[in-house]
Amino acid sequence: MDADESRSEIRRGRSVERAALPAGPERDLRDAVYRLYVEADSPRLGDLATTIAKDDDLPGSPGKDLIRKIISGDGMGSQQDTVTVAVALVREAGCADTAIVADRIRYLWLTAKTALPPEPVEPPARLGWPVSGCDPLMLEVHPAISIPGIGLDPLPAYLPREHDALLRQAADRVMAGSSTLVTVVGGSSTGKTRACWELVQYLDGREPGRWRVWHPYDPTRPEAAAQALAGVVPHTVVWLNEAQHYLSPPDARLASGSPPGCAACCTTVHGGRCWCWPPCGRSTGRR
C-alpha cells in the first residue's frame, strides 16, 4: 500500500492533547512525534492503528491506546512501536523520507531511554521547631516560682481570660487560610507571653504536628528576623517576644528587614501564618 492509498483511508479526528512534561529528552521525543502528528493533519487513532496493523513492513504494531500515549507523551512506548507510529504519520502526511524520520525518532528514543533521572530537589529547611519540641522557657515565658524542696511544674497553672477567646478566634482565621498579626499589649508580668504560648498550644491541638514556632534572636533579634524573614512558610508562628527590639533596633539599617517590614509582610503573604509579638512596656489599659 503506497502513501496516497494509506492517506485516503484515514479520516481526521479529535486532536490528541499533549501531556505536561518537564524539559528534557523525553519531551524532545514527544515533541518530534507530535509534530509529525500535526503535519499529518491529526488522523483518527483507530484508523491509524488499522493501517499499521495491515502493514507487515513496520517494526511494531501499537494499538489505539498506545498510539495515543506515544503521540501525547503520556508514557513511552517501545522503540519499535514509537518508530512505527512516526513512520505511519510520515506516510499519512504524504512524505517519502521515512528512513530519515525513523533514524531521527530512533535516536531521540534511545536518548530519552538512557537519560539519567533529574536530581531530586531538596525542599528548603523550615524555620523554627515543631510546637511539641518547643520549651516555653526558651521562648521567654515566665516560669513558676520555685520553692526549695518542692517539685513544681515549670509553668504555673493557667486561667483563661477574655483575651484568650479573642486570640483563639484569630487562630481559627489562620487555620482557615488567612495570615494574621496578633499583638498582645499589657503591663509588665501580666501574662502576655504566656497568652501567646497558650495560643500556640491551641493551634497544635487543633492541627497536631503541622505548626512550627520560629523565634528569631541570634545573633541579635532584629538581625535574625531581617536575615530569614523571607523564608517563613505557611503554618509557622513567628514569635517576636519583646517587640520593641524588633520594631526599634539600635541599628536603623535593620529596620527595613524586620518590622515594620515584617508587619507589611503580613498583609501580602498568603496562607496560614500566625505572627505573635507580645511586647513589654507601658500599660495601655488593655489586657
Side-chain angles (χ1 to χ4, degrees):
M1 180 182 296
D2 60 28
D4 290 336
E5 291 175 341
S6 174
R7 184 180 179 85
S8 65
E9 289 186 8
I10 300 178
R11 294 171 293 170
R12 306 307 131 214
R14 184 178 179 181
S15 296
V16 174
E17 297 293 332
R18 282 179 286 189
L21 292 175
E26 189 171 345
R27 191 170 78 178
D28 293 341
L29 171 62
R30 189 280 310 280
D31 289 348
V33 175
Y34 196 86
R35 182 181 180 87
L36 297 174
Y37 170 70
V38 173
E39 290 175 347
D41 200 16
S42 306
R44 292 181 60 175
L45 303 188
D47 294 342
L48 189 61
T50 299
T51 299
I52 289 173
K54 293 178 180 180
D55 192 336
D56 294 334
D57 293 333
L58 293 173
S61 57
K64 175 182 175 181
D65 290 341
L66 182 53
I67 292 174
R68 181 182 298 277
K69 285 188 175 183
I70 291 172
I71 293 174
S72 68
D74 186 19
M76 286 183 63
S78 68
Q79 180 185 145
Q80 292 82 359
D81 287 337
T82 305
V83 171
T84 293
V85 171
V87 170
L89 290 171
V90 170
R91 291 177 177 175
E92 170 61 15
C95 299
D97 52 353
T98 57
I100 296 175
V101 171
D103 287 342
R104 173 63 175 166
I105 295 300
R106 190 175 292 110
Y107 170 78
L108 290 173
W109 186 93
L110 288 170
T111 302
K113 195 67 174 179
T114 58
L116 295 175
E119 292 290 331
V121 178
E122 293 291 334
R126 283 191 63 184
L127 293 172
W129 292 87
V131 175
S132 60
C134 290
D135 181 351
L137 301 185
M138 294 299 295
L139 296 175
E140 302 169 320
V141 179
H142 290 182
I145 297 173
S146 61
I147 301 176
I150 299 178
L152 298 173
D153 292 334
L155 299 180
Y158 189 75
L159 178 64
R161 293 172 284 178
E162 182 179 353
H163 61 261
D164 291 291
L166 299 176
L167 292 175
R168 291 191 176 192
Q169 291 175 12
D172 291 337
R173 293 194 297 271
V174 168
M175 288 184 284
S178 300
S179 294
T180 299
L181 168 64
V182 176
T183 306
V184 181
V185 181
S188 177
S189 301
T190 54
K192 302 178 300 297
T193 308
R194 178 64 184 275
C196 286
W197 173 246
E198 295 300 321
L199 174 62
V200 168
Q201 298 294 301
Y202 175 74
L203 285 168
D204 191 53
R206 293 290 301 274
E207 297 181 329
R210 194 174 191 182
W211 288 84
R212 297 173 77 93
V213 179
W214 176 48
H215 181 203
Y217 65 89
D218 184 48
T220 67
R221 295 172 193 256
E223 286 179 286
Q227 291 170 4
L229 189 60
V232 175
V233 299
H235 305 104
T236 301
V237 175
V238 181
W239 187 273
L240 304 180
N241 197 33
E242 303 288 358
Q244 70 275 11
H245 297 306
Y246 299 93
L247 293 167
S248 301
D251 187 345
R253 291 173 299 176
L254 297 173
S256 61
S258 57
C262 180
C265 190
C266 297
T267 62
T268 58
V269 296
H270 299 284
R273 291 171 178 81
C274 181
W275 307 75
C276 299
W277 60 46
C280 78
R282 63 184 179 85
S283 173
T284 63
R286 290 176 288 172
R287 295 292 186 268

